[in-house]
Amino acid sequence: MRYKKRKYFLAGRINIIQRSKIRELFEKASKMENVISLGIGEPDFDTPDVIKDAAKRALDEGYTHYTPNAGIPEFREAIAEYYKDFYKVDVEVDNILVTAGAYEATYLAFQSILEQGDDVIIPDPAFVCYVEDAKIAEAGIIRIPLREENKFRLNPDELVEAITKRTRMIVINYPNNPTGAVMDKSTVKAIADIAQDYNIYILSDEPYEHFLYEGAKHYPMIKYAPDNTILANSFSKTFAMTGWRLGFVAAPAWVVEKMTRFQMYNATCPVTFVQYAAAKALDDPRSWKAVEEMRNEYDRRRNLVWKRLNEMGLPTVKPKGAFYIFPRIRDTGLTDKEFSELMLKEARVAVVPGSAFGKAGEGYIRISYATAYEKLEEAMDRMEKVLKEKKLV
């Protein structure tokens, strides 16, 4: 008996998710020779030895089994202590959920808070995952532009104007990806007050908190709106642990309990021996010394790239956080996509179009200076050469 060939379909929701333009660029550049990639936001440093050694010990001691869904209690305690020590914020173990990176932390937050008919306010430009997470949650998306003249900081007055009766959540990301902007205390407090006045959640994504320059300081949102804030954080950037896939949420206990249910059926629990290694990272002065060394080197690279971009005719706000810089390229007469394609083809330098992060990013590019100083020098030389040859500046 012969059966008619069936046609298979995928769930419709998969079609609403856009592929990351950053990853597309990375994959395209990887297939080309002699390319200097300034696209992926990944530390070029190795994970500190003290952390790797702790992971090895945990493996040798048999920590290879499931943990509680919310994470190892001792590790959650270490995270709570970290916030008390660094920021004088009272966070309890019940406020902590360990996740498989900050990516999962933000995904769980969107899934736990938003549903069809709700609105979420997302700055523009902003990291790519927020809009896609909102789509999956079937929420309405409201974008607020981050303006160059305001150094890409969120304007609290514009935030109030954007709030509707359906607004359930605001997304905040400082130090910012893609602009490198930071927020001062008065702005953080203003946003916290708005969220409390309107009974809105804040998803505050803070993985770059330790990469600050020129005296800039970080103010965790949970310090000012503890009952409204879902703070997402990661070990990926701070300790150069991108491949370890470990992050966490700090939030009200009732929110953590709901998010843990999603964790149960999403990842079960984060990798066990990695949690023990990360607990060591928080506790050992040697890991923090490594963080300071990374910060100092990022600062050196930041100064180089900012200076060279402005000298070659690409006006650039000097970032005070993260390891990104966001030069304006629209004066060249090219779109940000055309500019990025030109640099990849002619200069063999990969940069990300600003529009990958939202409509307000059009006319800009994102450069990650998380790569060796010498490579950055070479990349700037190549970019400047092409700009002059094409008479674009």
Side-chain angles (χ1 to χ4, degrees):
M1 185 175 181
R2 302 183 70 179
Y3 291 90
K4 187 177 179 181
K5 187 175 181 180
R6 296 179 61 186
K7 195 171 184 178
Y8 291 92
F9 297 93
L10 297 176
R13 73 177 68 90
I14 198 67
N15 296 317
I16 67 173
I17 303 171
Q18 297 294 315
R19 195 156 186 265
S20 168
K21 300 299 181 185
I22 306 171
R23 283 285 166 180
E24 284 184 3
L25 179 77
F26 177 74
E27 291 175 10
K28 185 176 181 180
S30 68
K31 297 174 183 176
M32 301 172 65
E33 293 183 359
N34 192 31
V35 171
I36 299 175
S37 179
L38 308 181
I40 294 292
E42 178 174 30
D44 61 317
F45 299 99
D46 194 13
T47 306
D49 286 340
V50 61
I51 301 172
K52 292 192 288 186
D53 290 341
K56 294 172 187 175
R57 282 196 303 274
L59 283 168
D60 290 339
E61 292 171 8
Y63 293 112
T64 59
H65 303 280
Y66 291 132
T67 74
N69 297 123
I72 298 167
E74 305 95 289
F75 180 38
R76 296 165 71 199
E77 288 173 6
I79 295 170
E81 286 299 318
Y82 160 76
Y83 277 95
K84 292 174 185 176
D85 292 342
F86 269 79
Y87 300 112
K88 311 303 180 190
V89 176
D90 288 327
V91 178
E92 304 300 329
V93 172
D94 289 344
N95 300 122
I96 304 296
L97 167 65
V98 185
T99 61
Y103 253 122
E104 192 202 12
T106 56
Y107 173 77
L108 294 177
F110 275 86
Q111 290 299 310
S112 300
I113 300 301
L114 299 174
E115 58 189 0
Q116 190 175 41
D118 293 333
D119 284 342
V120 54
I121 297 175
I122 302 174
D124 184 356
F127 186 54
V128 296
C129 79
Y130 309 134
V131 167
E132 305 309 316
D133 284 344
K135 290 178 183 177
I136 297 170
E138 299 184 272
I141 301 168
I142 300 171
R143 304 301 298 265
I144 300 181
L146 303 178
R147 308 180 193 281
E148 182 181 347
E149 57 267 29
N150 195 36
K151 298 182 179 179
F152 300 110
R153 293 175 298 199
L154 185 63
N155 184 324
D157 292 334
E158 291 186 350
L159 173 59
V160 171
E161 292 177 4
I163 293 173
T164 71
K165 63 181 180 180
R166 301 191 308 179
T167 303
R168 292 284 306 276
M169 190 163 74
I170 307 162
V171 176
I172 303 295
N173 169 222
Y174 288 93
N176 182 260
N177 176 7
T179 67
V182 299
M183 281 201 300
D184 57 28
K185 183 190 287 188
S186 62
T187 305
V188 173
K189 292 180 71 174
I191 294 171
D193 290 343
I194 291 167
Q196 292 172 107
D197 290 344
Y198 287 88
N199 195 26
I200 296 170
Y201 286 104
I202 303 171
L203 172 59
S204 188
D205 193 13
E206 305 180 12
Y208 300 98
E209 60 181 327
H210 290 290
F211 298 130
L212 297 162
Y213 319 104
E214 299 182 17
K217 294 184 178 180
H218 179 66
Y219 304 96
M221 191 61 72
I222 54 171
K223 187 168 186 174
Y224 304 99
D227 292 333
N228 297 70
T229 299
I230 303 169
L231 186 153
N233 209 332
S234 170
F235 287 76
S236 293
K237 315 300 184 182
T238 302
F239 298 107
M241 295 174 65
T242 52
W244 299 63
R245 308 313 306 133
L246 192 69
F248 62 89
V249 166
W254 67 87
V255 176
V256 167
E257 193 276 329
K258 303 298 183 186
M259 292 177 71
T260 303
R261 296 186 192 181
F262 275 100
Q263 171 92 307
M264 185 184 308
Y265 297 110
N266 188 52
T268 303
C269 63
V271 178
T272 304
F273 64 87
V274 172
Q275 294 184 60
Y276 283 97
K280 184 66 174 177
L282 290 175
D283 185 58
D284 198 298
R286 291 171 293 178
S287 58
W288 289 110
K289 181 182 178 182
V291 172
E292 182 61 17
E293 290 171 352
M294 286 188 273
R295 192 205 68 81
N296 290 337
E297 178 58 18
Y298 287 142
D299 192 17
R300 188 169 78 104
R301 299 171 183 180
R302 177 186 69 108
N303 287 318
L304 165 71
V305 176
W306 175 76
K307 181 173 181 291
R308 290 294 306 276
L309 288 170
N310 282 288
E311 287 176 348
M312 71 177 74
L314 301 178
T316 308
V317 174
K318 195 171 189 180
K320 291 192 176 182
F323 40 66
Y324 306 107
I325 195 163
F326 207 61
R328 173 164 35 99
I329 57 83
R330 68 166 64 100
D331 298 339
T332 65
L334 301 177
T335 67
D336 53 320
K337 292 179 181 178
E338 291 170 340
F339 187 96
S340 297
E341 289 170 359
L342 176 68
M343 288 302 147
L344 185 58
K345 181 180 178 182
E346 301 288 341
R348 288 294 196 265
V349 175
V351 297
V352 182
S355 58
F357 304 95
K359 187 175 181 180
E362 293 177 356
Y364 298 85
I365 58 168
R366 189 193 77 172
I367 288 174
S368 168
Y369 49 87
T371 194
Y373 192 91
E374 295 75 17
K375 286 187 177 181
L376 289 169
E377 286 183 309
E378 174 65 21
M380 295 300 105
D381 289 343
R382 293 184 187 184
M383 290 177 65
E384 185 172 27
K385 182 174 183 291
V386 171
L387 288 173
K388 288 181 176 179
E389 288 177 348
K390 301 291 183 180
K391 297 181 180 180
L392 295 172
V393 291

